[in-house]
Amino acid sequence: MANILRPALVLFALLGALTGIVYPLAVTGVAQAVFPAQAGGSLVLRDGAPVGSTLIGQNFSDPAHFWGRPSATAPMPYNAAASGGANQGPLNPALVDAVKARVEALRAADPGNTVPVPVDLVTTSASGLDPHISPAAAHYQAPRVARQRQLPLEAVERLIDAHTEAPQWRLLGEPRVNVLALNLALDLQPAP
């Protein structure tokens, strides 16, 4: 029995050290060397202090800021520890009611806006953490943001266009706008 148990325990200890210590340290070291910003959380700094990440959405609710996609995480929005979609199908009455409530909230925030509400402003993403919205969703919100900040609508539209990212490698995905980057640029605009 000792002839079998001893090699098994040695192999277990070696594999445990290799996969639990050596491999994670090697991967972390390579990531820090090759992709330091991404390995550090893709943090966005303002005056030397972190204000968010380019990869995780934030819950903007001030009408003078652009709002991101709704988050399905609990107990608070954009909770990275609880990432996951709502798992509600298109015929689920709870999803239909949630979408209707979100449309009503957007209409209440900007009653004069009669443009159809872009779908990404009323549905959650698969992760519940999406930091991007479509250019259509940003342009939908532009009149409200311009009015709240007393800025010309054209200036806000130019900011949206300047912060619209092309599909990855010009091939994958759709054009998108990072809500945090757009709101930070908006905050730098001089007051009227």
Side-chain angles (χ1 to χ4, degrees):
M1 182 68 141
N3 291 341
I4 296 173
L5 190 57
R6 185 170 187 267
L9 289 175
V10 169
L11 184 60
F12 175 75
L14 287 174
L15 287 175
L18 181 67
T19 60
I21 298 171
V22 175
Y23 178 76
L25 287 175
V27 169
T28 301
V30 169
Q32 290 288 346
V34 179
F35 305 108
Q38 293 88 340
S42 299
L43 296 179
V44 177
L45 304 175
R46 170 72 46 97
D47 299 326
V51 293
S53 170
T54 60
L55 301 176
I56 298 178
Q58 292 187 18
N59 190 27
F60 290 101
S61 58
D62 178 6
H65 282 108
F66 286 90
W67 300 337
R69 288 188 80 161
S71 175
T73 63
M76 61 189 172
Y78 302 102
N79 177 6
S83 174
N87 292 328
Q88 296 172 333
L91 300 178
N92 186 321
L95 176 63
V96 173
D97 292 343
V99 168
K100 285 181 183 176
R102 292 173 186 142
V103 169
E104 289 172 9
L106 286 167
R107 295 282 186 215
D110 194 5
N113 194 341
T114 59
V115 176
V117 176
V119 70
D120 56 323
L121 286 178
V122 294
T123 57
T124 63
S125 67
S127 69
L129 304 174
D130 197 348
H132 297 96
I133 56 175
S134 66
H139 286 289
Y140 173 85
Q141 299 178 73
R144 181 198 76 230
V145 172
R147 190 172 50 259
Q148 291 288 325
R149 291 187 175 256
Q150 300 176 352
L151 292 171
L153 179 58
E154 297 76 27
V156 175
E157 297 277 354
R158 279 193 303 273
L159 269 178
I160 293 169
D161 294 340
H163 286 85
T164 298
E165 303 170 16
Q168 190 170 19
W169 302 310
R170 304 241 179 247
L171 181 68
L172 300 175
E174 297 290 326
R176 63 204 180 277
V177 179
N178 186 289
V179 178
L180 175 62
L182 180 58
N183 282 333
L184 290 174
L186 190 62
D187 287 344
L188 293 176
Q189 295 300 302

